[in-house]
Amino acid sequence: MEVGKTSQDHLKVHKMKKKVLRKQVRAQHTLMRHEGIECVSHATQSLVVANAGLGNGMSRHQLFRIVEEYGLVETLLMPPNKPYSFVKYGTTEEAKKAFDALNGKEVTREDFGQNIVLYINFVEKVFWKNVVPTSLPPGLTVVEKVISPEEERRMLESIDWTEDEDTQNAQKTLKHRRVKHFGYEFCYNSNNVDKDKPLPGGFPGICNLFLEKCLKRGYIKHKPDQLTVNQYEPGQGIPPHIDTHSAFEDEIISLSLGAEIVMDFKHPDGHTVAIMLPQRSLLVMAGESRYLWTHGITPRKYDVIQASELGQKVGTITADVGDLTLNRRETRTSFTFRKVRRSPCNCIYSSVCDSQKGQQRQGQPSFPLSEMEASKLEQEHVHRVYEEIAAHFSSTRHSPWPQIVEFLRSLPKGAIVADIGCGNGKYLGINKDLYMIGCDRSKNLVDICGEKDFQAFVCDALSVPIRSGSCDACISIAVIHHFSTAERRLATIRELARLLRPGGTALVYVWAMEQEYKKQKSKYLKEKNDSKGKEEEINTDTARGLLSDQMPDGSSQDSASSDQLLNDSKGKGCDAKPVADSRLPVHTNRTSFHSQDLLVPWHLKSDTKKKGESADILSFPAGSKESQELSPVFHRYYHVFCEGELEAACRSLDCVRVQKSYYDQGNWCVVLEKL
């Protein structure tokens, strides 16, 4: 009997070891797939700890206590929203000791009371570069400790959540929080107020005293006449929104009582800023932060905050993985004061202004209805833009895409290859056995190619000065989608075919309307942060492409006439509405496409512009002349292709056949063969 029990124990241990190994290997694959970081089989000073991250409720304090038992911890990195963390010990022996002790160990998360199992792997390096602090949205101010604890208590006591039925009616509309209005009731079904129906009574007396203090100290210029009080239980939030322009004047102020909170602000280009609002702090939104940026509170029970600022937290949350932890939310009450607007809004942010909806904004182009209009659109919103952003653009384009590399490496030794729309030349040096030459419409990008000792010249993609039939292969990567009419897009494909010898092949990439394909989102949609890539790099010896390299990266060529029209093919699954004579919509970066023809913003880093150059800003006004000069935004024209559209264009030409077509990370791609 004792022998049988021992055998069962051994079997149980064996099964447990197999499970740990299986989970350990799965963690390796997850890290490689999500971060491009490769785990190693030999011992190093650095470990990755799966199941112990901010994303699954492990606080920095608890994890540090766990790992410091086994030696001197030099670095502890906890990326936001990730279920894993990275630890670097002073010696390899200490890391090996932690690996043996912690791999497969069950621990209890202190704040959740739940058990989790840790899975450990070795990595070569763990380090990060200095993080540049994120600035507040223009026009936004956070004032700490604007009232005393006694004033806070009195303001909270001034709200009776049980006094009347109106509150209950409001709560039926907003099940996720309690809400009460003073002065005017905000109607959530119309996102506006009835200006002709003021509510009986006024603000609670303590609120009037608070507003007098704000006026005296210069926090606000005009006394508000509308107040919304919201009470949030831990885990509740509010969806991202912009307070209706026509409903309220410029300044909106919000007082956070009872608890602190992290509020998320988002620019239309996709750039987000997380802002800590401490208890008893005042948030002042004016100008761009009030009119252009959405603000909201993500529903969750914990906020990711900076560990070093505990006790005096205010301002932006910088994504420094060496200084992040979790903070449990408590019940928070916000007092938001606004002044009702009595005339239409005439702000400079017309693209998001309901008062100016449908009005033509000066400088924002319409879909071209003629060859001349198409040429002008591309000149202003493609050619001029790429000349201005060339240096910054090039700094984000250095990781070649695998399937393009595969195409170039499959070509025979000595083949002559033309890269039409070569940009900064990142594909010109891929295969040293090829004779490659590039061309681009942007002189500044061609100059960058020259600095790399690549052969490239400035030319028009519709009239490439290379002899017909002289190329063994051509590539056109993220170029054709910059042409604004179907016939001009077709003409670029015809020009590629002209350059090829019989039997030669061309690879074409264009941006896809379908950024979610076969139930898989592209990296463009998956990554909600800005396109600068991660601020922290872990094991940069492992080659991996930046997120920005997953975005379209070709520059368009100049205009020319074409004698053949092609009606865009509307393939299955394409819900885009045909563009009429309306303005081209401005796309919100990192979101699905709602139109095939659109303008895509590019935020130019000020330090990448050449000295003496002046930016011609083709964008949303940034709120002030100074902010525009610091961070100009350019709008590039794109036509995103529906499924089957690129193939249909290619098949309309008698001189080529489609050898292969596929979808690659948000792009439609074809390989053509010259007949």
Side-chain angles (χ1 to χ4, degrees):
M1 190 69 179
E2 193 66 32
V3 175
K5 185 178 179 181
T6 303
S7 178
Q8 287 179 354
D9 290 342
H10 282 310
L11 182 61
K12 188 175 181 180
V13 170
H14 178 68
K15 285 184 177 180
M16 183 59 68
K17 287 183 177 179
K18 283 187 67 176
K19 181 181 179 181
V20 170
L21 180 61
R22 188 169 65 251
K23 296 279 189 177
Q24 187 184 10
V25 171
R26 183 181 295 176
Q28 293 175 6
H29 292 163
T30 299
L31 191 65
M32 186 65 187
R33 186 169 64 252
H34 290 183
E35 303 292 337
I37 298 174
E38 186 175 5
C39 298
V40 295
S41 56
H42 58 275
T44 67
Q45 290 175 253
S46 303
L47 303 173
V48 55
V49 186
N51 267 7
L54 298 175
N56 65 325
M58 177 67 73
S59 71
R60 173 174 294 275
H61 179 68
Q62 181 181 4
L63 182 57
F64 189 83
R65 284 209 327 268
I66 291 172
V67 298
E68 72 173 348
E69 289 184 27
Y70 307 99
L72 176 64
V73 177
E74 289 190 358
T75 304
L76 175 58
L77 303 186
M78 301 186 75
N81 306 315
K82 301 293 185 181
Y84 41 78
S85 300
F86 299 88
V87 185
K88 182 181 179 182
Y89 284 95
T91 65
T92 302
E93 290 70 26
E94 290 171 328
K96 180 70 166 60
K97 185 179 177 182
F99 177 91
D100 293 336
L102 295 178
N103 194 29
K105 181 177 180 178
E106 187 175 71
V107 298
T108 302
R109 287 180 296 179
E110 293 173 347
D111 290 331
F112 289 83
Q114 296 174 336
N115 291 344
I116 56 173
V117 179
L118 307 180
Y119 301 103
I120 317 295
N121 283 288
F122 289 106
V123 292
E124 283 290 357
K125 291 182 180 180
V126 175
F127 64 93
W128 71 98
K129 55 187 178 182
N130 292 330
V131 180
V132 178
T134 307
S135 58
L136 292 171
L140 188 143
T141 306
V142 180
V143 184
E144 285 191 272
K145 299 178 181 177
V146 72
I147 61 174
S148 67
E150 174 61 20
E151 289 172 313
E152 176 184 32
R153 181 187 64 78
R154 289 170 59 196
M155 289 190 77
L156 290 173
E157 289 177 351
S158 71
I159 307 301
D160 185 352
W161 293 107
T162 62
E163 74 172 339
D164 56 35
E165 194 174 344
D166 290 338
T167 303
Q168 297 301 318
N169 292 336
Q171 286 177 252
K172 291 176 183 176
T173 306
L174 301 171
K175 294 180 180 179
H176 56 292
R177 68 183 188 268
R178 301 168 78 181
V179 62
K180 192 165 185 178
H181 304 286
F182 298 86
Y184 293 85
E185 182 174 359
F186 187 82
C187 303
Y188 289 95
N189 55 352
S190 62
N191 289 325
N192 214 318
V193 293
D194 189 339
K195 300 172 186 178
D196 298 323
K197 291 185 178 180
L199 295 171
F203 293 174
I206 184 66
C207 293
N208 285 316
L209 291 174
F210 167 72
L211 291 176
E212 292 297 333
K213 180 192 291 188
C214 290
L215 283 164
K216 186 176 180 180
R217 295 183 178 178
Y219 300 147
I220 55 176
K221 297 174 184 175
H222 307 286
K223 187 174 181 179
D225 54 9
Q226 195 275 336
L227 165 62
T228 299
V229 182
N230 286 283
Q231 188 175 85
Y232 308 85
E233 294 299 324
Q236 296 177 336
I238 53 175
H241 67 285
I242 299 173
D243 284 68
T244 309
H245 287 206
S246 64
F248 307 110
E249 294 286 355
D250 186 5
E251 288 177 326
I252 294 176
I253 61 173
S254 185
L255 184 64
S256 294
L257 302 182
E260 61 197 11
I261 199 74
V262 171
M263 182 173 282
D264 298 308
F265 282 76
K266 185 175 183 179
H267 191 278
D269 71 355
H271 176 61
T272 60
V273 179
I275 296 175
M276 170 59 75
L277 304 179
Q279 184 177 351
R280 304 198 310 280
S281 69
L282 181 68
L283 171 70
V284 182
M285 293 184 291
E288 183 178 318
S289 65
R290 179 268 189 265
Y291 286 123
L292 186 60
W293 293 63
T294 63
H295 61 277
I297 298 173
T298 304
R300 58 192 175 210
K301 293 186 178 180
Y302 289 81
D303 281 321
V304 176
I305 65 170
Q306 286 174 236
S308 62
E309 294 183 351
L310 284 171
Q312 49 175 21
K313 303 175 290 294
V314 65
T316 60
I317 308 297
T318 302
D320 184 346
V321 299
D323 186 34
L324 294 179
T325 189
L326 294 177
N327 188 51
R328 181 194 288 272
R329 283 187 182 175
E330 304 294 341
T331 300
R332 170 182 174 266
T333 303
S334 68
F335 285 64
T336 302
F337 299 89
R338 310 173 180 92
K339 185 170 181 59
V340 173
R341 184 184 291 278
R342 299 296 173 179
S343 59
C345 178
N346 62 351
C347 69
I348 60 175
Y349 308 100
S350 57
S351 61
V352 289
C353 180
D354 61 310
S355 289
Q356 303 175 63
K357 191 174 182 180
Q359 298 179 16
Q360 181 76 20
R361 183 168 72 87
Q362 187 178 4
Q364 187 168 323
S366 297
F367 181 78
L369 299 176
S370 68
E371 188 72 15
M372 183 178 295
E373 288 181 9
S375 175
K376 183 178 179 181
L377 173 65
E378 292 162 17
Q379 177 63 34
E380 291 295 317
H381 288 275
V382 182
H383 308 155
R384 285 182 60 192
V385 172
Y386 277 100
E387 288 292 13
E388 291 284 352
I389 71 173
H392 183 199
F393 176 83
S394 178
S395 71
T396 68
R397 264 59 188 180
H398 49 73
S399 298
W401 292 13
Q403 296 201 59
I404 301 172
V405 172
E406 183 182 344
F407 173 82
L408 292 173
R409 288 180 175 166
S410 70
L411 298 173
K413 188 174 182 179
I416 297 172
V417 183
D419 185 346
I420 310 302
C422 63
N424 68 346
K426 73 176 182 179
Y427 293 109
L428 294 179
I430 292 296
N431 186 347
K432 303 298 183 184
D433 291 333
L434 304 178
Y435 183 82
M436 290 197 70
I437 190 166
C439 63
D440 200 281
R441 182 60 176 75
S442 167
K443 179 183 181 300
N444 288 337
L445 285 172
V446 168
D447 287 345
I448 292 171
C449 293
E451 293 169 3
K452 299 176 180 178
D453 293 327
F454 294 142
Q455 295 195 48
F457 55 88
V458 178
C459 85
D460 177 332
L462 296 171
S463 182
V464 181
I466 296 177
R467 190 174 62 195
S468 299
S470 60
C471 295
D472 297 294
C474 295
I475 60 174
S476 171
I477 310 302
V479 174
I480 295 175
H481 53 217
H482 283 305
F483 288 89
S484 57
T485 64
E487 59 268 29
R488 293 163 76 80
R489 293 188 285 273
L490 179 63
T492 60
I493 300 171
R494 186 185 293 112
E495 183 69 354
L496 288 175
R498 182 189 67 79
L499 300 176
L500 293 173
R501 63 166 174 78
T505 54
L507 175 62
V508 178
Y509 268 58
V510 294
W511 210 359
M513 177 81 181
E514 299 84 357
Q515 289 298 304
E516 185 168 349
Y517 185 66
K518 293 184 178 178
K519 298 182 179 180
Q520 291 289 321
K521 289 184 178 180
S522 68
K523 289 184 179 178
Y524 177 74
L525 287 188
K526 283 180 180 177
E527 178 56 73
K528 296 297 182 186
N529 297 326
D530 61 54
S531 61
K532 297 173 187 175
K534 297 178 179 61
E535 294 286 358
E536 293 71 27
E537 296 187 40
I538 302 163
N539 186 21
T540 53
D541 291 343
T542 303
R544 66 177 190 265
L546 289 178
L547 171 68
S548 53
D549 277 304
Q550 300 300 329
M551 295 178 64
D553 61 350
S555 62
S556 170
Q557 316 303 316
D558 208 348
S559 59
S561 61
S562 173
D563 58 2
Q564 182 175 348
L565 292 173
L566 173 71
N567 291 323
D568 291 348
S569 168
K570 305 299 178 189
K572 60 182 180 178
C574 185
D575 297 325
K577 296 177 182 178
V579 177
D581 59 346
S582 60
R583 292 175 297 162
L584 287 170
V586 177
H587 176 60
T588 299
N589 284 332
R590 311 288 167 204
T591 64
S592 299
F593 295 115
H594 302 293
S595 171
Q596 280 192 269
D597 296 276
L598 39 81
L599 300 174
V600 178
W602 179 280
H603 273 253
L604 179 66
K605 283 186 178 178
S606 57
D607 59 353
T608 58
K609 281 192 62 61
K610 293 182 179 178
K611 193 173 182 180
E613 287 184 338
S614 61
D616 189 1
I617 300 171
L618 315 170
S619 66
F620 290 118
S624 67
K625 184 177 179 181
E626 291 76 16
S627 62
Q628 287 179 343
E629 289 173 351
L630 287 172
S631 182
V633 184
F634 296 90
H635 284 165
R636 300 167 292 163
Y637 168 81
Y638 281 89
H639 171 85
V640 290
F641 281 67
C642 287
E643 182 175 7
E645 184 179 342
L646 179 60
E647 287 181 78
C650 296
R651 290 196 169 106
S652 70
L653 299 177
D654 295 332
C655 56
V656 297
R657 75 176 182 89
V658 177
Q659 193 179 83
K660 179 183 179 183
S661 63
Y662 58 95
Y663 179 89
D664 184 12
Q665 272 303 332
N667 297 272
W668 290 116
C669 323
V670 297
V671 177
L672 303 176
E673 181 183 355
K674 176 77 170 283
L675 299 176

